[in-house]
Amino acid sequence: MTTSPNEASGERAMIDRLHSVLANESRRAMLDYFDGTPRETALLEDLADYLVDRREGEDARSYERTLVRLHHVDLPKLAAAGIIDYDARTHTIRYRGTPSVEKTAER
């Protein structure tokens, strides 16, 4: 079966979007969080704790900045790429990873 030019273009765009989203170390670390737990859901605070714990010398201000960045930047980008579902009202994240996302994240 052959791929039409439009399908190939769409696939390239999806891969480019994934690479752009996963270029950020914190976003890749969030995938590690879900890879290391059998749970498919987490709270915003769970991910912030995980990210701050991974970095040495972080303080309470850093935790607050991490919460804000996750809520306003990182989680919306991951949601827009279809990697997670993020309910901003309840601060609940559901991982929707697929093999293509995990393969891209490993590179």
Side-chain angles (χ1 to χ4, degrees):
M1 180 177 352
T2 61
T3 304
S4 74
N6 286 341
E7 289 174 327
S9 177
E11 279 184 35
R12 283 192 300 273
M14 181 192 72
I15 290 169
D16 287 347
R17 186 171 48 249
L18 281 176
H19 283 182
S20 175
V21 168
L22 296 176
N24 178 278
E25 192 278 327
S26 290
R27 291 184 214 127
R28 289 190 312 275
M30 285 184 260
L31 298 182
D32 291 342
Y33 173 87
F34 285 107
D35 188 44
T37 181
R39 297 177 14 197
E40 293 181 3
T41 62
L43 295 175
L44 173 66
E45 293 79 8
D46 297 334
L47 286 177
D49 286 338
Y50 178 78
L51 293 175
V52 170
D53 286 348
R54 287 174 57 107
R55 299 184 291 239
E56 306 242 347
E58 298 291 317
D59 59 10
R61 288 186 63 206
S62 178
Y63 177 78
E64 291 300 320
R65 285 191 303 268
T66 299
L67 279 174
V68 170
R69 181 171 173 86
L70 284 172
H71 179 72
H72 291 288
V73 178
D74 294 323
L75 295 173
K77 284 187 178 195
L78 288 168
I83 299 169
I84 64 163
D85 291 322
Y86 178 53
D87 185 333
R89 186 179 48 79
T90 64
H91 295 171
T92 304
I93 301 103
R94 185 175 69 83
Y95 180 58
R96 298 177 50 194
T98 63
S100 62
V101 169
E102 290 155 7
K103 184 177 179 181
T104 301
E106 289 173 0
R107 291 183 181 171

